[in-house]
Amino acid sequence: MDSVKELIPFAKEMLNQKPNRRMVKMYLVGSVFAVLGTVIGLVESMCHPFSSGGCIDEEIIFMMNQEQRTADAKKLRSMWAQGEEEEKEEEEATTQLMIPKTNKIGQRNMSNRLHAS
């Protein structure tokens, strides 16, 4: 409302000064830009609820990220479990091929000595 009250005295003052063509063109161009900006703003505010690229709620984003992390963790666990199974199968195959060694009396088994160095 304040801008309308200021606009009327401004228009009266401008008419009293007898504006030249250049000044009228400038004010017309500025007015056209102002009207276009207002129209574009109105169209944007009217179409905003229907746009598909709208803002997604932060909770939904958080839940999607959490689901993605759990899926990635499950995939890594399954890959790791498969790798361990393959290693166990390889160890079993190599232990079956190895000839068991007999320990001499007086020698200690090295696997029992790992804690004491």
Side-chain angles (χ1 to χ4, degrees), residues 30-48:
S31 299
V32 168
F33 281 133
V35 170
L36 282 176
T38 305
V39 170
I40 290 172
L42 287 173
V43 169
E44 184 179 344
S45 66
M46 294 294 285
C47 296
H48 181 69

Side-chain angles (χ1 to χ4, degrees), residues 7 13-15 17 22 27 40-41 43 59 63 69 71 77 83-85 94 96 112-114 117:
L7 184 63
E13 184 181 331
M14 200 172 124
L15 289 173
Q17 291 181 0
R22 213 182 269 169
Y27 282 112
I40 290 172
V43 169
E59 244 178 76
M63 292 179 77
R69 281 188 231 127
R77 280 189 218 126
E84 286 181 352
E85 289 175 3
T94 55
Q96 289 175 357
N112 293 337
R113 299 254 353 219
L114 289 177
S117 48

Side-chain angles (χ1 to χ4, degrees), residues 38-72:
T38 305
V39 170
I40 290 172
L42 287 173
V43 169
E44 184 179 344
S45 66
M46 294 294 285
C47 296
H48 181 69
F50 306 111
S51 66
S52 62
C55 184
I56 298 176
D57 194 25
E58 292 178 10
E59 244 178 76
I60 295 172
I61 293 172
F62 177 74
M63 292 179 77
M64 287 172 44
N65 288 340
Q66 190 175 8
E67 288 176 8
Q68 182 66 32
R69 281 188 231 127
T70 55
D72 291 343

